[in-house]
């Protein structure tokens, strides 16, 4: 499959939704991607099946605080530096890249590196959405190592991390991202083609494109873009439940760059006095409560959208006064398994109580 | 008494207001030298009301001049762009993603220079004064006087931008410099975009504001002159000359607030019908609904508070594309008829049939259908009822669809039809409970300028360890409200429109820079308040 300009814009829309508020703002990645397509033509996307078992696949993306990324932009050489370093370590060429997470700008980030290296992007990712921390991948959940991983900065700094412990890897990488100015590029969880086929969440890039296209078509036809979004999510096979959780106006945003993350809270007041939603985030939106009652929790997806245009609003772009709808969607099944919840469930973020699926919390029974 | 003026692309409208009363109004053609049209309009209202120039306390001008310059990509300066960020940001050089025609017109000369701050206050790279001086000399020698300077995290620490501006001024004394931290908040690309647009409007703004001031002086009005900005509040003429980009959303804001004021309606969809387009916006609780995502101006993304507007290509000068041989036909095929999107614009007074021309426009059809009275109906070509009905039905469908796109709820809404072409809005539209055409609807824009609000801004660095966040925000909100009232705002009308908080990671004590903005109706415009209940 080729990703032309239209598919790129659709991917940006879809990835913005799947970012659950995080993964970086896709707008910058989209601008870079458009320039790249104008220069070299469409990007190449291949299915997991097309990988040879002994292929070398490099998942990659940006690590850091999204708020910082809105201000400090990339130099453009970060990904290439990191990928070339991994090739030196592995002693061979990388055959394909993959987004470490499909959500936000990181869903688009590997496209440019792939074009520059002349290799394809794999239609898969390691999270099925975006998560704040590096060990929150299906690869880590399945016991694969993040290392060797390479972290690079805008001014050309480069560090290789080698450790057996993925949590330790996250801590080191996070510290480096702070050292490098709050954001950095990372190549991590290098995979064989066989491992990618066994573990990665397949079809997520094309699902994001389909979701974006559905929203675009609904807008053009003057139809309800939210209904189209919900239907496209359910039809993707990855996100079986979706719906609107809340509708209102942003009345407070508390946001801080702390420990290399953007952390904070947004308060949304319902229209016509219909209660209040509190949303806590750490890069991504993690838990949504209406009048104190939990309505959605990680790993399920929670995305704040412009209530008129159905544009996703990333956590760094949330502002006082915005009129929004909060949309929830079920996470891919693999993230809801018991062993996955240890990594990506509410307890992993310090929330009390067990994980409860979004469809149970909201009484959704259409699949 | 106050005078409100709206300088549009086609007409210059003026109103003279005494308190909440429109004492006199006029509509004059916009002159090539805008000042002449403004002088004519103001002279007309003063003459009508027999009011001496000395009785005028203030003049408020709303203008779409700068917006039009950006949209039409004309009358813009060449810009020198200094970005202090390298090595970061080189992947996205200035003006990435801009429409080519606009970028070509601005024809920027760009310098990617070392500088900028990290989020924690360290330097990305030290400033290079020699490189800045060299760039300034090059720009001076190339005759580029409009200069845009941006640096990373400047809203948190403007030191590098200010230092660079001082260096540029030393080498290039004629330079008009815009620094990004005066125009926006966190969000580098959008802030830099606004800075470049502002620089590009530099000479035009200086010229236009000077011609407004000259117009007032010639009439003998010695009252302060204000321009209305995007959010419906006023800025001094001097500030508008230096920051014209702050006025680019004021047109729709003025028409919506004018419509609310004239009708006493707080919640409605406003259709402002001009010569070329109909601007459609939503009035929510007396205020224009704002676009919640990044806004586009002339295809460029910026992060200003702007009203959420849908511009429909339908106005009083919109051309009706139909073979003249079919003007008298009894049955018309849908494919044979097209309405717009092109318009004869201000040439309507030569080109429309009504005025002796031979171009069929929406105004011709409206007069033929008896929905408006102007021009000379005797000059109209014979149009069959079928043709008139088909054109009318097509326009109605366009308006209905546009209104539907702006609606937030399923129910029927109130429509306010204003602007010189408001006769194009039928009395009944699907999706509308009622169409209201307030008195003075044709000059709603000028009324909106005359009743523009006062704004107040409080900006402070607070330590949340010393003062809990909720307490600090309450205190700053109260301060902003008090300032708005002190500036003449009516207490009941004060609204907090913006709260912005940036944590300063490099300072101890959970320090945050907080900015709160409040706006209020000016005393002397009590009607908006009266209708609030």
């Amino acid at each position: 499959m080729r990703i032309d300009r239209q598919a790129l814009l659709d991917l940006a829309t879809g990835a913005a939704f799947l970012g659950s508020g995080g993964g970086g703002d896709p707008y910058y990645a989209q601008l870079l991607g458009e320039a790249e397509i104008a220069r070299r033509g469409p990007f190449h996307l291949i299915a997991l099946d097309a990988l040879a078992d002994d292929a070398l696949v490099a998942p990659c993306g940006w690590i850091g605080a999204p708020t910082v990324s809105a201000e400090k932009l990339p130099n453009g050489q970060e990904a290439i530096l990191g990928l070339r370093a991994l090739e030196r370590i592995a002693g061979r060429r990388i055959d394909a890249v993959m987004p470490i997470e499909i959500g936000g700008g990181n869903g688009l980030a590997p496209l440019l590196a792939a074009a520059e290296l002349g290799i394809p992007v794999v239609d898969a990712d390691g999270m099925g959405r975006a998560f704040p921390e590096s060990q929150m991948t299906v690869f880590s959940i399945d016991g694969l190592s993040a290392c060797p991983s390479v972290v690079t900065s805008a001014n050309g700094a480069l560090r290789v991390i080698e450790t057996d412990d993925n949590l330790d890897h996250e801590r080191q990488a996070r510290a480096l991202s702070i050292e490098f100015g709050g954001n950095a590029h990372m190549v991590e969880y290098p995979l064989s083609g066989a491992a990618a086929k066994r573990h990665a969440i397949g079809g997520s890039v094309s699902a994001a494109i389909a979701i974006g296209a559905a929203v675009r078509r609904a807008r053009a036809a003057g139809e309800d873009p939210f209904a189209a979004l919900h239907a496209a999510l359910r039809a993707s096979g990855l996100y079986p439940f979706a719906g609107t959780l809340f509708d209102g106006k942003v009345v407070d945003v508390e946001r801080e760059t702390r420990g290399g993350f953007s952390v904070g809270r947004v308060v949304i007041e319902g229209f016509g006095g219909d209660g209040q939603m509190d949303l806590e985030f750490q890069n991504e939106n993690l838990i949504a409560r209406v009048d104190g009652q939990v309505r959605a929790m990680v790993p399920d997806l929670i995305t704040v959208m412009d209530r008129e245009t159905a544009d996703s609003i990333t956590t760094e772009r949330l502002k006082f006064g915005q009129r929004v709808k909060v949309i929830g969607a079920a996470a891919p099944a693999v993230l809801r398994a018991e062993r996955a919840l240890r990594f990506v469930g509410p307890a992993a973020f310090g929330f009390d109580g067990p994980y409860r699926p979004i469809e149970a919390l909201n009484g959704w029974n259409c699949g | 008494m106050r005078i409100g003026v709206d300088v549009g692309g086609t007409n210059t409208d003026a109103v003279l207001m005494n308190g909440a009363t429109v004492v006199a109004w006029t509509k004059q053609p916009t002159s090539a030298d805008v000042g002449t049209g403004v002088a004519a309009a103001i002279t007309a209202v003063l003459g009508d009301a027999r009011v001496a120039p000395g009785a005028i306390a203030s003049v408020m001008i709303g203008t779409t001049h700068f917006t039009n310059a950006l949209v039409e990509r004309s009358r813009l300066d060449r810009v020198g762009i200094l970005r202090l960020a390298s090595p970061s940001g080189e992947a996205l050089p200035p003006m990435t993603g801009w429409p080519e025609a606009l970028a070509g017109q601005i024809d920027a000369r760009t310098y990617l220079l070392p500088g900028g701050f990290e989020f924690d206050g360290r330097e990305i790279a030290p400033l290079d004064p020699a490189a800045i001086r060299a760039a300034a000399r090059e720009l001076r020698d190339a005759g580029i006087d409009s200069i845009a300077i941006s640096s990373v995290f400047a809203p948190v620490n403007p030191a590098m931008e200010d230092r660079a501006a001082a260096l540029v001024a030393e080498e290039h004394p004629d330079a008009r410099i815009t620094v990004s931290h005066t125009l926006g908040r966190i969000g580098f690309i959008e802030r830099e975009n606004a800075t470049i647009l502002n620089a590009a409007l530099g000479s035009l703004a200086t010229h236009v504001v000077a011609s407004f001031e000259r117009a007032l002086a010639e009439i003998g009005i010695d009252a302060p002159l204000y321009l209305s900005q995007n959010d419906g509040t006023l800025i001094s003429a001097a500030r508008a000359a230096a920051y014209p980009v702050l006025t680019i959303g004021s047109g729709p804001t003025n028409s919506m607030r004018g419509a609310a004021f004239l009708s006493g309606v707080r919640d409605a969809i406003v259709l402002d019908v001009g010569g070329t387009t109909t601007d459609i916006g939503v009035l929510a609780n007396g205020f224009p609904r704002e676009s919640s995502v990044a806004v586009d101006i002339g295809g460029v993304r910026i992060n200003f508070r702007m009203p959420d507007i849908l511009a429909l290509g339908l106005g009083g000068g919109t051309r009706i594309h139909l073979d003249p041989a079919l003007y008298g036909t009894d049955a018309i095929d849908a494919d044979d008829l097209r309405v717009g999107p092109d318009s004869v614009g201000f040439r309507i007074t030569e080109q429309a049939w009504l005025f002796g021309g031979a171009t069929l426009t929406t105004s011709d059809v409206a007069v033929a259908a008896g929905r408006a009275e102007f021009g000379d109906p005797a000059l109209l070509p014979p149009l069959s009822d079928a043709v008139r009905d088909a054109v009318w039905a097509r326009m109605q469908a366009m308006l209905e669809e546009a209104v539907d796109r702006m609606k937030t709820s399923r129910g029927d809404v109130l429509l306010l039809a204003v602007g010189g072409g408001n006769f194009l809005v039928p009395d009944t539209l699907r999706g509308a409970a009622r169409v209201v055409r307030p008195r003075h609807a044709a000059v709603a824009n000028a009324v909106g300028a005359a009743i523009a609000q006062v704004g107040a801004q409080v900006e402070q660095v607070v330590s949340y360890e010393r003062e809990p966040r909720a307490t600090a925000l309450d205190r700053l909100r109260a301060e902003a409200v008090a300032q708005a009232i002190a500036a003449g705002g009516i207490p009941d009308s004060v609204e907090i429109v913006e709260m912005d908080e940036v944590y300063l990671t490099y300072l101890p004590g959970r320090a945050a820079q907080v900015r709160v903005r409040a706006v209020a109706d000016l005393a002397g415009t009590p009607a908006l308040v009266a209708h609030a209940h």
Side-chain angles (χ1 to χ4, degrees):
Chain A
M1 185 187 172
R2 285 147 65 83
I3 299 184
D4 60 9
R5 185 166 179 279
Q6 185 60 69
L8 177 78
L9 302 184
D10 291 341
L11 174 58
T13 306
F17 176 83
L18 297 177
S20 208
D25 191 328
Y27 178 62
Y28 300 140
Q30 177 197 313
L31 282 180
L32 288 166
E34 285 182 276
E36 187 67 26
I37 288 173
R39 201 159 44 230
R40 292 192 231 226
F43 300 106
H44 294 281
L45 185 72
I46 58 166
L48 272 173
D49 294 346
L51 287 171
D53 280 352
D54 64 350
L56 176 58
V57 182
C60 53
W62 292 84
I63 173 172
T67 314
V68 173
S69 311
E71 186 63 24
K72 186 192 170 194
L73 306 175
N75 166 271
Q77 286 307 304
E78 294 93 336
I80 299 300
L81 266 180
L83 290 164
R84 293 281 184 229
L86 180 66
E87 288 186 335
R88 283 197 300 277
I89 294 165
R92 59 169 292 180
R93 291 281 318 265
I94 292 167
D95 298 297
V97 291
M98 176 194 290
I100 188 69
E101 55 185 358
I102 185 57
N106 270 349
L108 283 64
L111 294 173
L112 297 155
E116 189 131 338
L117 292 179
I119 56 177
V121 177
V122 184
D123 184 6
D125 79 303
M127 294 185 177
R129 47 165 288 167
F131 283 119
E133 298 181 25
S134 146
Q135 81 284 1
M136 297 172 169
T137 59
V138 285
F139 311 128
S140 188
I141 292 166
D142 289 350
L144 305 183
S145 171
C147 297
S149 101
V150 190
V151 184
T152 49
S153 82
N155 61 11
L158 181 152
R159 301 280 184 84
V160 177
I161 304 177
E162 283 280 14
T163 169
D164 292 339
D165 177 350
N166 289 342
L167 204 56
D168 182 43
H169 167 260
E170 155 66 24
R171 276 192 292 264
Q172 292 193 41
R174 189 69 48 185
L176 279 176
S177 77
I178 297 169
E179 174 60 28
F180 288 169
N183 62 355
H185 188 273
M186 178 153 66
V187 184
E188 56 179 335
Y189 293 94
L191 301 165
S192 69
K197 282 186 267 192
R198 198 171 326 127
H199 301 286
I201 298 178
S204 54
V205 176
S206 46
I209 294 172
I211 290 163
V215 172
R216 167 174 54 86
R217 289 197 201 99
R219 280 184 198 142
E223 288 158 11
D224 180 2
F226 293 98
L229 170 69
H230 299 158
L233 284 162
R234 293 178 199 135
S236 70
L238 288 172
Y239 313 96
F241 297 89
T244 300
L245 299 173
F246 203 69
D247 186 2
K249 178 183 154 181
V250 175
V251 294
D252 192 23
V253 184
E254 189 176 359
R255 181 200 296 118
E256 192 172 351
T257 303
R258 198 196 302 155
F261 299 100
S262 301
V263 291
R265 196 175 77 109
V266 52
V267 182
I268 304 164
E269 212 171 71
F271 290 122
D274 284 345
Q276 175 179 303
M277 173 172 273
D278 278 71
L279 211 52
E280 288 183 49
F281 60 83
Q282 176 187 335
N283 292 8
E284 285 79 32
N285 298 312
L286 298 177
I287 192 158
R289 298 185 181 89
V290 175
D291 296 335
Q293 289 227 300
V294 175
R295 294 287 301 279
M297 57 172 82
V298 68
D300 290 332
L301 288 73
I302 305 163
T303 300
V304 183
M305 304 183 87
D306 181 296
R307 73 190 300 272
E308 317 303 333
T309 62
D311 283 313
S312 299
I313 306 175
T314 52
T315 51
E316 68 268 25
R317 291 201 185 275
L318 283 167
K319 267 199 312 204
F320 175 88
Q322 285 169 332
R323 298 155 68 92
V324 300
K325 282 189 180 179
V326 182
I327 309 300
V334 56
L335 300 176
R336 295 169 143 207
E338 203 48 52
R339 67 198 170 105
L341 291 175
R342 284 194 301 124
F343 290 84
V344 297
F349 294 92
F351 295 114
D352 291 337
Y355 164 72
R356 290 192 63 204
I358 193 165
E359 62 274 23
L361 287 167
N362 294 281
W364 296 341
N365 39 34
C366 51
Chain B
M1 284 193 266
R2 294 188 311 281
I3 288 176
V5 184
D6 174 72
V7 186
T10 312
N11 288 309
T12 296
D13 304 341
V15 294
L16 173 66
M17 295 190 69
N18 188 4
T21 309
V22 176
V23 180
W25 65 274
T26 187
K27 209 177 237 312
Q28 309 267 340
T30 294
S31 55
D33 166 20
V34 288
T36 318
V38 169
I42 293 178
T43 308
V45 289
L46 290 176
D48 277 2
R50 295 181 195 178
V51 166
I56 302 305
S58 53
V59 177
M60 287 85 161
I61 298 184
T63 178
T64 51
H65 226 74
F66 306 130
T67 320
N68 294 346
L70 294 175
V71 173
E72 293 160 10
R73 294 153 184 169
S74 60
R75 294 162 291 167
L76 300 173
D77 293 346
R78 283 193 73 191
V79 176
I81 303 173
L82 274 62
R83 183 201 273 182
L84 312 170
S86 287
S88 83
E90 289 178 0
L92 285 165
M95 304 173 90
T96 301
W98 282 40
E100 270 172 40
L102 180 58
Q105 171 74 28
I106 290 177
D107 191 17
R109 191 176 281 212
T110 296
Y111 300 86
L112 297 179
L113 301 174
F117 294 99
E118 305 280 13
F119 76 107
D120 57 6
R122 287 177 293 162
E123 288 177 355
I124 291 174
L127 201 70
D128 181 347
I132 290 169
R133 286 184 188 279
R137 283 193 299 270
E138 272 183 40
L139 292 170
R140 182 195 63 202
D141 295 344
I144 298 175
D145 298 337
S146 289
I147 294 173
I149 301 178
S150 51
S151 99
V152 181
F153 277 108
V156 180
N157 186 351
M160 265 194 201
E161 287 188 353
D162 289 339
R163 173 93 180 101
L167 290 167
V168 171
E170 279 178 30
E171 299 292 333
H172 187 356
D174 295 333
R176 245 188 324 265
I177 303 169
T178 310
V179 284
S180 86
H181 70 268
T182 56
L183 279 175
R185 306 297 290 170
I186 295 294
F188 188 82
I189 292 269
E190 291 84 349
R191 188 173 74 249
E192 182 182 67
N193 284 349
T195 309
I196 298 167
L197 291 179
N198 194 68
L201 290 167
S203 332
L204 179 65
T206 308
H207 170 77
V208 165
V209 172
S211 72
F212 289 162
E213 283 173 332
R214 218 164 29 242
L216 297 196
E218 278 163 15
I219 297 166
I221 294 177
D222 182 27
L225 169 66
Y226 300 97
L227 269 77
S228 59
Q229 53 178 348
N230 308 337
D231 61 1
T233 62
L234 298 168
I235 45 175
S236 69
R239 192 166 154 74
Y243 298 103
V245 80
L246 296 176
T247 71
I248 56 180
S250 69
T253 304
N254 285 341
S255 71
M256 292 174 70
R257 289 190 35 82
F261 179 83
L262 291 169
S263 63
V265 168
R266 307 272 303 175
D267 296 281
I269 289 185
V270 179
L271 296 113
D272 180 17
V273 191
T276 317
T277 60
T278 297
D279 283 345
I280 304 174
V282 177
L283 206 54
N285 200 26
F287 291 90
R289 182 176 82 199
E290 282 167 25
S291 172
S292 52
V293 285
V295 284
D296 232 56
I297 185 81
V300 176
R301 184 155 140 150
I302 55 178
N303 55 357
F304 286 179
R305 295 183 62 232
M306 295 269 269
D308 184 11
I309 295 295
L310 176 68
L312 174 70
L314 178 67
T318 298
R319 293 176 64 165
I320 311 288
H321 300 274
L322 176 70
D323 186 341
L326 296 173
Y327 283 1
T329 185
D330 283 341
I332 177 166
D333 192 28
D335 292 341
D336 290 335
L337 172 71
R338 196 156 55 79
V339 175
D342 49 337
S343 164
V344 296
F346 67 89
R347 294 204 178 80
I348 187 167
T349 50
E350 308 150 25
Q351 299 190 353
W353 285 101
L354 277 170
F355 299 105
T359 304
L360 190 62
T361 67
T362 49
S363 288
D364 294 311
V365 177
V367 170
R371 305 212 178 231
E373 285 177 28
F374 57 90
D376 183 355
L379 295 172
L380 288 172
L383 296 173
S384 70
D385 289 356
V387 166
R388 286 204 307 252
D389 291 351
V391 172
W392 205 255
R394 186 67 61 87
M395 292 194 311
Q396 181 158 342
M398 289 168 74
L399 290 168
E400 282 169 349
E401 195 210 314
V403 166
D404 193 56
R405 280 176 58 186
M406 295 302 281
K407 268 178 155 180
T408 52
S409 57
R410 298 260 171 256
D412 287 353
V413 290
L414 197 66
L415 292 191
L416 294 178
V418 299
N422 77 75
F423 54 84
L424 290 184
V425 181
D427 289 326
T428 52
L429 270 182
R430 190 164 42 83
R434 202 150 56 90
V435 175
V436 175
R437 255 173 267 273
R439 199 164 133 78
H440 307 308
V443 290
N445 268 323
V447 172
I451 61 156
Q453 298 176 300
V454 289
Q457 178 164 319
V458 175
E459 193 157 4
Q460 209 178 77
V461 174
V462 202
S463 160
Y464 293 150
E465 265 169 25
R466 258 180 279 141
E467 185 181 16
R469 180 172 180 272
T471 317
L473 294 189
D474 282 347
R475 177 174 60 80
L476 294 172
R477 268 192 292 259
E479 237 168 79
V481 167
Q483 280 192 18
I485 293 169
I490 303 169
D492 281 5
S493 72
V494 186
E495 200 195 30
I496 301 289
V497 291
E498 198 169 355
M499 280 208 312
D500 190 70
E501 185 181 37
V502 180
Y503 280 85
L504 306 174
T505 341
Y506 57 93
L507 292 183
R510 293 194 71 221
Q513 182 189 44
V514 184
R515 186 178 62 155
V516 180
R517 266 176 61 73
V519 303
D521 292 334
L522 265 175
T525 56
L528 273 179
V529 176
H531 289 292
H533 307 293

